[in-house]
Amino acid sequence: MITTENLKAKVRFLLNEANDDSDVTLLTVDTRKIDDYIEMLLPEAVLFVQKNSNRCGVNTKSATIAKEKITTAADGSGYLPLPDDFVRLVKLQMTGWKRPCNILYPNDTAIALAQGNVHTRAGWCKPIAVQDYTAEGLNALFFYSLPVGVAPNVEAFIYEARYVPENGLSGNDDTLHEAVAYQCAALVFNVFDKRDSAASMLSIAASLCNGNSNNEK
């Protein structure tokens, strides 16, 4: 867990660290204005890390999906509604599955398209999850498939959630939280047309997303 104030402090530190170079100094800019930019750009920075990291842990949440919210077909396929703040799947475990789903495939991928055929779709030993919209326009997770005779039940649903400032970040990966700070600093530098500094911060953020520690950048 890291609060928004702690995140902002990390970004301010990175910006101040760059002030040692007269070419990138932001000392002439009002401090309140810098804080406003940091607050405005943090959601974009969090989303960047969530979308580009090779693992999860930025802002994870666990959700309870009521059985009446799950729709199933006779062939064991079905779907459940995705939370409004859903960004990325971490884990879905349904009763009867031999292993969980950790990837949510877009509906236009080859794996997703294969689920439309009863002969090629996944089963309960190696289930597949696909993100798509229902006929009613509901953003949903379609799952393939449940064992015959097993009632639909979600044992675990964990996901990366959209960042909400007042809640901070609930993930437990300090390296990814550091990546958020570097990415936010890159975005702030871009606002002030400090392209070289922005590129440097972005490079470090990407490296952290790939699992490199601060000492390996």
Side-chain angles (χ1 to χ4, degrees):
M1 167 69 183
I2 182 170
T3 67
T4 291
E5 286 306 312
N6 285 338
L7 273 175
K8 288 163 58 179
K10 285 177 178 287
V11 178
R12 281 194 297 267
F13 174 80
L14 295 175
L15 296 173
N16 289 333
E17 198 174 48
N19 280 332
D20 291 337
D21 185 337
S22 60
D23 290 335
V24 298
T25 183
L26 299 179
L27 287 174
T28 58
V29 181
D30 179 73
T31 301
R32 180 63 252 179
K33 187 175 182 181
I34 292 293
D35 278 353
D36 289 343
Y37 278 118
I38 292 173
E39 292 175 9
M40 178 182 70
L41 295 169
L42 268 174
E44 185 179 344
V46 173
L47 187 59
F48 171 89
V49 176
Q50 289 176 317
K51 294 289 189 179
N52 291 280
S53 62
N54 58 9
R55 63 197 186 283
C56 298
V58 184
N59 192 34
T60 52
K61 289 179 64 175
S62 179
T64 299
I65 307 296
K67 291 182 179 180
E68 58 267 24
K69 296 289 186 179
I70 306 172
T71 301
T72 56
D75 59 10
S77 63
Y79 66 86
L80 53 90
L82 287 171
D84 292 339
D85 61 350
F86 179 89
V87 173
R88 179 180 177 185
L89 180 66
V90 176
K91 177 182 179 181
L92 172 67
Q93 178 66 54
M94 304 285 291
T95 298
W97 280 2
K98 289 295 185 181
R99 65 183 189 185
C101 283
N102 305 111
I103 299 174
L104 185 59
Y105 292 95
N107 63 357
D108 58 353
T109 60
I111 289 178
L113 294 174
Q115 309 314 308
N117 187 321
V118 68
H119 301 293
T120 59
R121 69 177 41 155
W124 53 275
C125 288
K126 296 181 179 180
I128 292 292
V130 173
Q131 185 172 5
D132 204 347
Y133 289 90
T134 67
E136 296 75 28
L138 177 69
N139 187 20
L141 181 153
F142 288 75
F143 54 82
Y144 307 89
S145 302
L146 296 176
V148 176
V150 174
N153 179 58
V154 176
E155 295 182 356
F157 184 76
I158 304 171
Y159 65 101
E160 286 278 3
R162 189 177 302 113
Y163 165 71
V164 177
E166 54 266 34
N167 296 337
L169 296 178
S170 60
N172 57 4
D173 194 313
D174 292 339
T175 300
L176 293 181
H177 291 165
E178 191 173 7
V180 170
Y182 274 95
Q183 176 61 15
C184 189
L187 294 171
V188 173
F189 278 128
N190 267 329
V191 168
F192 293 96
D193 203 29
K194 305 296 183 181
R195 304 302 180 188
D196 289 344
S197 295
S200 176
M201 293 290 175
L202 174 58
S203 176
I204 295 172
S207 180
L208 290 166
C209 283
N210 290 327
N212 296 328
S213 70
N214 197 29
N215 294 327
E216 295 174 320
K217 297 191 301 289

